[in-house]
Structure formats: C-alpha cells, structure tokens
Amino acid sequence: MKNLFALLALCCVLTAFLKPSKPTLYLIGDSTVRNTNAPQAGWGSQLASYFDTTRISINNSAMAGRSTRTFISEGRWDKVHNALKPGDFLIMQFGHNEGSAPDTTKAGRRGVLKGTGEETKDLVWPDGRQETVHTYGWYLRKFIKEAKAKGATPMVASMIPRNEWKEGKVIRATNDYGKWAAEVAKQEGVTFIDLNSITADKYDKLGPYEVKKFFPGDHTHTNEAGARLNAESVADGIKAAKRLPLTKFLAKK
C-alpha cells in the first residue's frame, strides 16, 4: 500500500512539472495563403509576427492551386484533420480556384458547385473512379464540422481581394465566395474573418497606383509586402471577433 501511495505521489509531482503542449493554429487554403514562388508570397508566411509564438505554433498547410474540392480529394485535409487536437485552431481561406465548371478535365478538376446548398454533381474519371462534387459551402461545412469534432476551433476567412478595380474601388467578393463564406460561418456558429473587406478597405485608401506594387506578376498573388498587409488584416479580423479564444495568443503591439 505504501508503494502505491508513493507511486501516486510521484505521478502528481511529475504532472505538476509537465508543460501542457502548445496549441497549433492550422492554415488551409491556396497560394494566396502559402506561396513559394518568389517574389510572390502568401499571407500565411507573415502571420507569425502577429502572434506570441512562445505560446502557440502556426502550421501553414495551404497549397498553391488548390480549391476546397482538391484540398480534400488529394488527401491534404486528412493530414491536417488527423493532426488536430483539442485546443487547436483552424483558419480556412479558399475561393480563388473554385470558379470553373466542375468536371474531370484539367480546367474543371478544381471547380465546385456555386453557393452553399446540398446540390451535387456526379463525375466518372477516365480510370473509372467516381467522384461526387459538392457546393463551395458544403466543403467549408465539412472542414468546420470535422475540426469541431476534434475539439479544435475553426474559423472561416473570405478570400483576399484581387487587384481589380471599378470606379476607383477594389472589386469585392460580396456577391459570391465572400458572401458564401460568411453564410456558412453564420450557419455553423463560427468566427468569420472578412479578410476580403478588411483588406479591400486598405486598398481603397492606398489607391490603384500603390496597390499595384503588391502584385508583381498578376492580379491575384501578392509579394511579401502585400502578404504582410493581408496577414495584418487577418490579425485585425481576429481582434474584432467576440469571445474568440485565439485572441489571447496575439502578440501585444
């Protein structure tokens, strides 16, 4: 009996000295989140400077060229999902690669059905593999529900704005992917980071000439300076969220 008590006492002492593992903030998305094609850069590469990384880790699992559909079909979501643990966080930002009509061609392999409903489209690939394509909102809900089931806190971010202007204002995604991202976040009761609008407001103030400096090759992919501005917008959106546990890990600036 004495040995048992001694063992229990030792366990208590060891437990007291064990440091709890840091939570991880996982990022999933496309090349606007993670881009290794310099001088282009995704905002995920700049996000760590807005967090206290002694208390939280950041894992940027985004991949260039992926849509919600292909991020899942290629097994990339499975890897993130398997790694999630209670207390972790997840930010998803998709929308740039979803626009093509979904089919089995090179052009259509990334496409999803528009909207947030339960519509589907069944495909058969040349090798006989069958695939059911869903709406943009359905894929976001899958990420959210499966992250919640692992005890993680999922957040939905709208896509960063492209360098496209109309009547002196940046064109926003408020009629399609930004709108649908907001709808799903509300339906599922998770934080929505309106990255599209937050950054667009900054672009509008800077004007087309200054904003063009952020886009070295096309109208979608920013350089490091643009990525830093977008990372700041993500941090702004997190700060503005109510009762979001992630806010306590932001760096004090």
Side-chain angles (χ1 to χ4, degrees), residues 68 92 94 136-144 156 180-181 184:
T68 46
M92 60 197 78
F94 290 93
Y136 176 69
W138 185 94
Y139 290 111
L140 293 184
R141 285 195 295 271
K142 177 179 172 66
F143 295 140
I144 292 168
V156 179
W180 300 329
V184 171

Side-chain angles (χ1 to χ4, degrees), residues 234-249:
V234 174
D236 291 344
I238 292 169
K239 288 176 189 174
K242 296 179 180 178
R243 297 183 297 276
L244 179 63
L246 184 59
T247 57
K248 67 183 180 182
F249 296 103

Side-chain angles (χ1 to χ4, degrees), residues 125-144:
W125 287 78
D127 63 1
R129 179 173 61 90
Q130 297 182 345
E131 180 187 9
T132 298
V133 179
H134 300 270
T135 64
Y136 176 69
W138 185 94
Y139 290 111
L140 293 184
R141 285 195 295 271
K142 177 179 172 66
F143 295 140
I144 292 168

Side-chain angles (χ1 to χ4, degrees), residues 178-192:
K179 172 188 174 185
W180 300 329
E183 288 176 354
V184 171
K186 184 177 181 180
Q187 291 166 0
E188 299 299 323
V190 300
T191 295
F192 175 60

Side-chain angles (χ1 to χ4, degrees), residues 113-172:
L113 298 178
K114 299 183 184 303
T116 64
E118 295 296 328
E119 303 91 337
T120 61
K121 180 178 181 180
D122 292 325
L123 303 175
V124 179
W125 287 78
D127 63 1
R129 179 173 61 90
Q130 297 182 345
E131 180 187 9
T132 298
V133 179
H134 300 270
T135 64
Y136 176 69
W138 185 94
Y139 290 111
L140 293 184
R141 285 195 295 271
K142 177 179 172 66
F143 295 140
I144 292 168
K145 291 176 180 178
E146 293 184 0
K148 283 183 175 180
K150 293 294 291 284
T153 301
M155 293 154 278
V156 179
S158 52
M159 56 195 272
I160 66 167
R162 295 184 172 96
N163 184 27
E164 296 179 318
W165 299 73
K166 184 177 181 179
E167 298 177 355
K169 298 290 185 180
V170 173
I171 296 175
R172 305 182 183 222

Side-chain angles (χ1 to χ4, degrees), residues 50-154:
Y50 295 92
F51 281 88
D52 180 355
T53 53
T54 66
R55 300 173 57 228
I56 190 169
S57 301
I58 297 180
N59 180 301
N60 190 353
S61 290
M63 183 57 63
R66 272 60 185 184
S67 65
T68 46
R69 173 186 166 195
T70 54
F71 198 84
I72 292 170
S73 65
E74 293 177 2
R76 299 181 185 279
W77 170 239
D78 285 342
K79 292 180 180 178
V80 174
H81 179 249
N82 290 337
L84 285 172
K85 63 184 185 299
D88 284 344
F89 301 89
L90 172 74
I91 296 178
M92 60 197 78
Q93 187 237 266
F94 290 93
H96 287 285
N97 297 316
E98 273 79 357
S100 59
D103 56 34
T104 59
T105 66
K106 183 177 180 180
R109 64 181 180 81
R110 302 185 299 185
V112 303
L113 298 178
K114 299 183 184 303
T116 64
E118 295 296 328
E119 303 91 337
T120 61
K121 180 178 181 180
D122 292 325
L123 303 175
V124 179
W125 287 78
D127 63 1
R129 179 173 61 90
Q130 297 182 345
E131 180 187 9
T132 298
V133 179
H134 300 270
T135 64
Y136 176 69
W138 185 94
Y139 290 111
L140 293 184
R141 285 195 295 271
K142 177 179 172 66
F143 295 140
I144 292 168
K145 291 176 180 178
E146 293 184 0
K148 283 183 175 180
K150 293 294 291 284
T153 301

